[in-house]
Amino acid sequence: MCGIFGAISSEDVKKDLIEGLSKLEYRGYDSAGLSLITSASKIKRIRCTGKVKELKKLLLKSKSKGKCGIAHTRWATHGIPNLKNSHPHNSGPFSIVHNGIIENSEELKSSLLKKGYKFTSDTDSEVIAHLLTSCIKKNKDLLGTILSALDKLKGSFALAIIYDKYPDNIIVASNGSPLLIGISKNATYVASDIHALVSKTKKYIPLEDNELAIVSRGNVILYNKKGRKISRPPLVTKQIDKTTSKRGFKHYMQKEIFEQKDIISRVIKDRLGTKTILPNIFGPKSDVMLKSIKHVHFVACGTSYNASLIAKYWIEELSDIMCTAEIASEYRYRTINIPSDTLFVAISQSGETADTIYSLKKAKTSNYKAILSICNVPESTITRLSDYSYLMQAGVEISVASTKAFTSQLIALLLLSTILSRSSGKYSIEAEIVKQINSLPKILDKTFKLENDMKTMAKQFKNKHHTLFLGRGASYPIALEAALKLKEISYIHAEGYAAGELKHGPLALVDKDMPVVGLMPDNNLVNQVLSNLSEVKARHGLVYIFTNKKMKLKRNDKTKIIKMPACGHYIAPLVYVIPMQLLSYHVAIFKKTNIDQPRNLAKSVTVE
Ligand code: F6R
């Protein structure tokens, strides 16, 4: 993960570096640092543990200035989050920042140690700095040095390097980790993503794998890994600076939970007709392509993977199409059998998740009918690599715990499932699904009124160490998502299970201190879920049932029923996930955790 920002300008770049870095903090917030080349052609490095705001405080105290600099916000992979492991890493005349993982760092380190290089950190990145110093001794020129150092690196990297003998240049290189070069009239920037660039310039060049560039003010020279010059015109981004505020909410997560209704209303306006879905919402001529699909392979990570599991239930219920949903880190390394006419679908909020990108690249060289992505970030790597793409239009999601992206993915997936049902459909269902989606904004209004109940419930959860969430059918992935949200932001151990699996092992965990949440929309699985929950009650577990079915409890039954608004069968996962998000949020409030930036995590997972 980690975020990289660099700038060369006619003015001091400290302010630019801090601004750029703040926009990349979602990629990691374990430490922050920067290096400048001063007017005396010396490298000045300033680093701190913690967040970019801490670095800003240090800079206010420092008198150092520089017109060329690189900066980094870290998500620790090798070495704990502390000062010595913070980037930049220096060696002789070089200072570097790195995003990615150097797989052969131990091997390189031992050979550099033998040559007398001293290591001051536990990171894999520091080898790059020493390798450069070692290579510059053998090579006459900078390009030759960079090429021979890069040639020795195995793994993934986005790199920005400054060299005190070339005070007007930043050298950048990329392999498997994103890096973009932004070009404006008076300055050139490098950044891990487009958000960090748009307030500075619209013109940018994304580095491709195995490319490097020597960047100066207003100029970029691109090279391939053999050192041959490449020429590629810059792209022009359509994105605007989307600096977001909390708009009066206490946390971004809370704001994003409450934005879900408006996002769904926008989808209804932009993508639905009165009884049908509008044509080609998955990209030009996508309806024709989707007509020929016989199988679907979904690939995603985390919350996006949970969304894909629900789509599997929908697609197989609505059509004859066979569907698999797989975690990207598994998909990318295993042998896959691809039947003819299979659609590959990558789902990603950020569009930059490393495992999903690698899976998509693998899919592109396999025998798929087409590659479709469902993403929230336009012009992201995943969107750029796909044949067809659907933009979720959820707006920037800042909170590390994904909420509005999940429901936006679900809407996209319900629309995809419905379109796929057109040709192979067991029955015509489109008008009914459109009607159910249209009913969502009003139902969500009622669902948000459960917030006080969730606060009360959160109080009962705050001192628990373990929790179980259970569901059947499309509520099973909602149980997984509920558990993921709770553990992520409240650090309470939580698991989601298919309710029928309980007696195959997890029931052993249940005792009087274990809250067990049953997600039970009124459908054909109610009786089965109820019997699973009685197994919990018989072991003195604390049972909470979320349902829109009318239920009467026996006297002395300690079960808590949370009355959900009535809703259509297909939209139930979108409704039932809302109280789960609110519950996690309020448990985290009670536990006083860092809700928007939970420990050990980052918003965009750009390492495998
Ligand atoms: C959980 C969460 C993560 C992401 C996962 C995939 O709240 O946000 O599990 O869902 O890292 O990220 P994207 O969707 O950006 O590929």
Side-chain angles (χ1 to χ4, degrees):
M1 309 193 330
C2 306
I4 289 178
F5 195 83
I8 311 173
S9 165
S10 49
E11 322 253 308
D12 179 33
V13 292
K14 281 201 307 291
K15 194 164 161 264
D16 294 328
L17 295 181
I18 291 293
E19 264 175 35
L21 221 47
S22 311
K23 292 192 176 141
L24 294 169
E25 206 166 26
Y26 72 89
R27 299 172 78 93
Y29 34 81
D30 287 333
S31 64
L34 57 80
S35 281
L36 299 165
I37 303 196
T38 65
S39 53
S41 286
K42 292 264 175 309
I43 287 175
K44 172 73 188 168
R45 177 175 71 171
I46 301 171
R47 304 183 293 175
C48 66
T49 52
K51 307 209 167 136
V52 177
K53 65 176 188 224
E54 304 303 326
L55 183 66
K56 196 173 171 184
K57 283 185 204 157
L58 287 182
L59 285 185
L60 289 174
K61 288 186 211 151
S62 155
K63 292 206 175 78
S64 306
K65 282 188 179 168
K67 293 178 183 170
C68 174
I70 52 175
H72 188 266
T73 176
R74 178 168 188 247
W75 184 80
T77 57
H78 291 57
I80 59 167
N82 63 11
L83 191 62
K84 70 172 188 172
N85 292 332
S86 311
H87 294 222
H89 291 288
N90 290 357
S91 173
F94 292 102
S95 186
I96 69 113
V97 289
H98 168 224
N99 167 209
I101 289 180
I102 304 302
E103 287 161 10
N104 59 339
S105 62
E106 282 307 316
E107 204 181 296
L108 293 169
K109 187 172 175 176
S110 50
S111 109
L112 288 160
L113 281 169
K114 279 182 204 145
K115 289 183 189 161
Y117 288 92
K118 298 238 172 342
F119 281 77
T120 55
S121 79
D122 306 317
T123 65
D124 55 338
S125 313
E126 194 182 357
V127 293
I128 305 168
H130 292 313
L131 198 56
L132 287 165
T133 309
S134 143
C135 291
I136 198 99
K137 291 180 182 160
K138 291 186 212 140
N139 288 278
K140 290 192 192 98
D141 67 330
L142 178 63
L143 182 62
T145 298
I146 305 285
L147 288 171
S148 57
L150 292 181
D151 195 43
K152 293 187 176 58
L153 298 179
K154 290 200 183 116
S156 64
F157 51 83
L159 279 175
I161 303 163
I162 50 174
Y163 174 43
D164 65 9
K165 309 258 175 322
Y166 283 66
D168 302 321
N169 291 124
I170 298 177
I171 304 103
V172 285
S174 162
N175 182 34
S177 297
L179 204 66
L180 316 178
I181 305 165
I183 309 151
S184 81
K185 219 168 160 199
N186 296 318
T188 310
Y189 305 93
V190 299
S192 298
D193 82 16
I194 194 76
H195 293 305
L197 290 177
V198 281
S199 65
K200 308 280 179 205
T201 177
K202 301 272 180 211
K203 247 165 79 177
Y204 73 104
I205 301 177
L207 271 191
E208 286 179 7
D209 285 352
N210 295 311
E211 286 184 354
L212 69 114
I214 299 187
V215 175
S216 54
R217 189 153 66 85
N219 194 28
V220 177
I221 311 174
L222 279 180
Y223 297 92
N224 67 13
K225 68 173 180 187
K226 297 212 165 94
R228 285 202 200 100
K229 277 192 190 169
I230 320 167
S231 139
R232 197 164 57 240
L235 305 175
V236 179
T237 179
K238 291 196 186 98
Q239 296 204 45
I240 45 164
D241 187 13
K242 288 185 194 141
T243 310
T244 53
S245 76
K246 290 187 196 138
R247 291 206 342 245
F249 288 95
K250 211 168 163 201
H251 297 96
Y252 282 109
M253 181 178 181
Q254 189 189 26
K255 167 183 163 267
E256 288 160 9
I257 291 173
F258 282 92
E259 274 173 356
Q260 293 177 101
K261 180 192 140 186
D262 288 346
I263 296 166
I264 289 169
S265 303
R266 197 158 55 228
V267 175
I268 293 172
K269 193 169 145 272
D270 291 354
R271 319 257 193 195
L272 299 186
T274 36
K275 289 192 175 157
T276 52
I277 299 165
L278 294 180
N280 297 317
I281 59 164
F282 288 92
K285 302 199 178 136
S286 55
D287 285 354
V288 175
M289 178 277 289
L290 291 171
K291 239 185 209 168
S292 62
I293 293 304
K294 303 269 186 300
H295 297 84
V296 178
H297 287 176
F298 286 110
V299 173
C301 302
T303 288
S304 301
Y305 166 70
N306 291 341
S308 75
L309 286 174
I310 296 174
K312 182 172 145 70
Y313 282 94
W314 281 331
I315 290 178
E316 298 216 349
E317 183 175 333
L318 289 168
S319 71
D320 297 330
I321 290 171
M322 279 164 74
C323 180
T324 62
E326 188 156 356
I327 292 168
S329 54
E330 288 299 312
Y331 176 93
R332 63 180 283 194
Y333 288 114
R334 77 175 186 92
T335 309
I336 311 283
N337 294 324
I338 306 164
S340 52
D341 299 320
T342 304
L343 174 68
F344 176 92
V345 186
I347 308 172
S348 174
Q349 187 285 129
S350 61
E352 300 296 347
T353 302
D355 284 319
T356 314
I357 293 175
Y358 277 106
S359 300
L360 195 151
K361 285 181 179 168
K362 170 173 166 172
K364 270 176 88 86
T365 57
S366 309
N367 199 19
Y368 283 101
K369 179 91 183 182
I371 309 285
L372 166 68
S373 62
I374 295 174
C375 273
N376 194 32
V377 179
E379 299 171 40
S380 60
T381 307
I382 290 180
T383 307
R384 280 202 307 268
L385 291 172
S386 306
D387 305 332
Y388 298 85
S389 60
Y390 175 104
L391 286 175
M392 282 146 53
Q393 293 177 291
V396 181
E397 192 178 61
I398 305 265
S399 159
V400 165
S402 187
T403 53
K404 62 176 182 172
F406 180 70
T407 44
S408 307
Q409 286 164 348
L410 287 185
I411 285 281
L413 290 165
L414 183 53
L415 296 177
L416 178 67
S417 312
T418 311
I419 294 172
L420 287 170
S421 80
R422 283 177 188 161
S423 52
S424 61
K426 291 166 189 156
Y427 42 86
S428 173
I429 193 77
E430 188 154 340
E432 171 58 20
I433 291 179
V434 169
K435 191 170 143 206
Q436 289 192 17
I437 295 176
N438 271 314
S439 70
L440 258 169
K442 277 199 179 133
I443 295 173
L444 291 192
D445 272 340
K446 290 185 196 156
T447 316
F448 283 123
K449 295 208 170 105
L450 290 170
E451 187 169 21
N452 276 335
D453 293 320
M454 291 308 100
K455 275 187 202 165
T456 312
M457 198 166 150
K459 221 180 207 166
Q460 294 154 15
F461 273 52
K462 70 175 197 269
N463 293 322
K464 301 290 177 198
H465 297 293
H466 310 277
T467 14
L468 284 179
F469 292 87
L470 305 178
R472 279 181 180 251
S475 298
Y476 159 47
I478 295 298
L480 294 176
E481 177 59 11
L484 178 61
K485 281 300 86 96
L486 188 68
K487 65 183 120 179
E488 196 175 9
I489 59 165
S490 76
Y491 317 148
I492 293 176
H493 173 224
E495 296 297 337
Y497 271 97
E501 272 292 291
L502 194 65
K503 54 192 166 298
H504 297 287
L507 197 54
L509 296 169
V510 171
D511 62 14
K512 64 179 179 23
D513 287 324
M514 171 75 104
V516 179
V517 176
L519 299 166
M520 205 178 71
D522 190 0
N523 60 26
N524 59 339
L525 296 166
V526 161
N527 290 336
Q528 284 81 351
V529 178
L530 280 177
S531 18
N532 301 137
L533 292 172
S534 4
E535 293 154 14
V536 174
K537 286 196 233 172
R539 273 92 188 165
H540 308 291
L542 306 164
V543 174
Y544 296 80
I545 304 180
F546 286 74
T547 189
N548 54 313
K549 187 174 171 61
K550 277 202 181 107
M551 285 190 55
K552 263 200 183 152
L553 293 177
K554 287 192 192 126
R555 208 190 280 244
N556 295 333
D557 192 329
K558 293 203 184 94
T559 303
K560 306 249 178 346
I561 309 268
I562 295 91
K563 187 92 186 74
M564 294 290 291
C567 64
H569 169 65
Y570 295 102
I571 57 168
L574 286 121
V575 179
Y576 277 67
V577 78
I578 303 289
M580 298 299 103
Q581 297 169 344
L582 289 169
L583 173 66
S584 308
Y585 175 73
H586 285 290
V587 176
I589 292 270
F590 280 120
K591 296 201 74 179
K592 298 193 171 57
T593 58
N594 188 340
I595 293 184
D596 288 331
Q597 294 184 323
R599 69 183 183 202
N600 307 340
L601 300 179
K603 183 71 186 155
S604 179
V605 184
T606 57
V607 291
E608 73 164 302

